[in-house]
């Protein structure tokens, strides 16, 4: 047996069907997940093959439990490639979720708004992505047996409709940058020109590995800050600014997840 599965199954008897990834500042959304009836919190650091998150705003455990009568496996905090991990290490939790039986995955993240019409605090459903990381050789499926997986329709059309019903009607293209530095104004203009509506440092590797494992996937960005398009704009993006906005995004994201789960 897989040692990661053995470890988790020794602690949680529930068999999760829905996976949820709670990004920066969104960990509190997991409070609504009940541990009764065989659920458990399992730190990543204790699971063979996984590593702990080093980002302050990210807790570092799975919460296996129930939400509106559905069994869920939530990641309270994620690990990122910018922590020094390979794309394979950063996506190892997706392999564990798939092995646990998760077949539908909802991913959340914080993102910068590239589209000047997007305001901090808004939620946007990801309908497609552009990954500068993958295109430059950082594809998480590199050196795995999962080759030539189609990414057309990676964000499930039915789940996008369900997200609209759950209150996230706006859709956009997520541009994936490696981070952890924020972009220069010239990079922001380039990303917008390429077709990105929002930019962030996560999600895409998770989507790709989840698709390779056969899961249905949807993802929502909470806009934590507006990107700076011009050197004439004196605004300096900071993690604290993004964090403050996330405090107001977390309850909205929680409400969306609670409305979405019964629709899945
Ligand atoms: N850029 C990249 N990633 C981000 C940003 C940003 O402005 N905000 C939140 N994640």
């Amino acid at each position: 047996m897989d040692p990661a599965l053995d470890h988790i199954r020794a602690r949680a008897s529930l068999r999760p069907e829905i996976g949820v990834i709670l990004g920066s500042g969104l960990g509190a959304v997991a409070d609504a997940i009940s541990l009764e009836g065989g659920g458990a919190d399992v730190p990543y650091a204790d699971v063979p093959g996984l590593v702990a998150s080093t980002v302050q705003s990210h807790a570092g455990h799975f919460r296996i439990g129930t939400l509106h009568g559905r069994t869920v496996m939530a990641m309270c905090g994620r690990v990122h490639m910018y922590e020094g991990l390979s794309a394979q290490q950063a996506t190892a939790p997706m392999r564990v979720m798939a092995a646990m039986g998760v077949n539908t995955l909802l991913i959340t993240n914080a993102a910068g708004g590239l589209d000047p019409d997007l305001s901090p605090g808004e939620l946007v459903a990801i309908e497609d992505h552009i990954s500068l990381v993958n295109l430059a050789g950082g594809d998480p499926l590199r050196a795995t047996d999962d080759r030539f997986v189609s990414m057309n329709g990676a964000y499930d059309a039915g789940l996008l409709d369900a997200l609209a019903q759950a209150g996230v009607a706006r859709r956009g293209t997520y541009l994936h940058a490696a981070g952890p530095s924020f972009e220069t104004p010239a990079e922001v203009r380039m990303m917008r020109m390429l077709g990105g509506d929002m930019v962030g440092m996560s999600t895409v590797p998770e989507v790709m590995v989840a698709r390779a494992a056969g899961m249905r996937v949807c993802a929502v960005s909470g806009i934590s800050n507006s990107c700076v398009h011009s050197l004439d704009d004196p605004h300096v993006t900071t993690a604290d600014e993004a964090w403050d906005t996330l405090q107001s995004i977390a309850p909205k994201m929680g409400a969306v997840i609670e409305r979405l789960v019964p629709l899945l």
Side-chain angles (χ1 to χ4, degrees):
M1 264 291 279
D2 179 332
L5 280 196
D6 284 349
H7 178 88
I8 297 170
R9 287 188 169 163
R11 285 155 185 81
S13 58
L14 283 176
R15 295 290 169 262
E17 41 173 349
I18 299 169
V20 182
I21 303 179
L22 299 169
S24 300
L26 301 172
V29 171
D31 292 348
I33 299 172
S34 163
L35 295 178
E36 272 170 41
D41 283 337
V42 183
Y44 308 142
D46 296 346
V47 179
L50 300 190
V51 292
S53 173
T54 62
V55 186
Q56 194 210 343
S57 56
H58 287 254
H61 59 267
F62 291 113
R63 169 161 287 201
I64 297 162
T66 52
L67 187 62
H68 294 295
R70 306 294 295 274
T71 51
V72 301
M73 182 165 183
M75 287 184 67
C76 303
R78 57 156 61 84
V79 290
H80 309 77
M81 291 170 69
Y82 67 65
E83 295 172 63
L85 304 177
S86 69
Q88 286 82 2
Q89 285 173 309
T91 51
M94 260 40 63
R95 305 272 183 196
V96 174
M97 283 198 195
M100 285 288 292
V102 168
N103 55 37
T104 303
L105 181 64
L106 165 63
I107 304 179
T108 68
N109 62 41
L114 293 168
D115 178 347
D117 282 348
L118 285 175
S119 306
E122 272 189 76
L123 300 185
V124 187
I126 302 179
E127 65 175 2
D128 204 352
H129 69 232
I130 298 167
S131 175
L132 301 181
V133 182
N134 292 346
L135 297 176
D139 190 318
L141 302 179
R142 188 183 155 103
T144 73
D145 291 336
D146 298 311
R147 295 195 183 152
F148 316 124
V149 177
S150 171
M151 290 296 150
N152 184 6
Y155 302 85
D156 187 86
L159 296 182
L160 278 163
D161 288 344
L163 272 175
Q165 275 186 59
V168 189
R170 185 147 193 173
R171 296 181 183 181
T173 296
Y174 179 89
L175 196 138
H176 176 215
S181 306
F182 289 121
E183 299 71 30
T184 65
E187 287 167 343
V188 167
R189 293 194 301 276
M190 176 198 77
M191 290 173 173
R192 183 71 186 135
M193 222 185 291
L194 289 178
D197 296 306
M198 52 265 183
V199 54
M201 306 171 189
S202 68
T203 301
V204 167
E206 298 157 353
V207 169
M208 299 179 74
V209 171
R211 288 299 300 144
M215 292 184 209
R216 293 192 304 162
V217 176
C218 64
V220 180
S221 290
I223 304 301
S224 58
N225 56 287
S226 297
C227 293
V228 174
H229 290 250
S230 162
L231 284 174
D232 294 334
D233 180 343
H235 184 81
V236 174
T237 303
T238 64
D240 284 348
E241 167 198 356
W243 176 256
D244 286 347
T245 312
L246 282 162
Q247 304 310 301
S248 68
I249 290 174
K252 281 197 239 176
M253 195 70 96
V256 165
I257 293 172
E258 295 211 26
R259 287 192 293 262
L260 181 71
V261 162
L263 301 173
L264 297 178

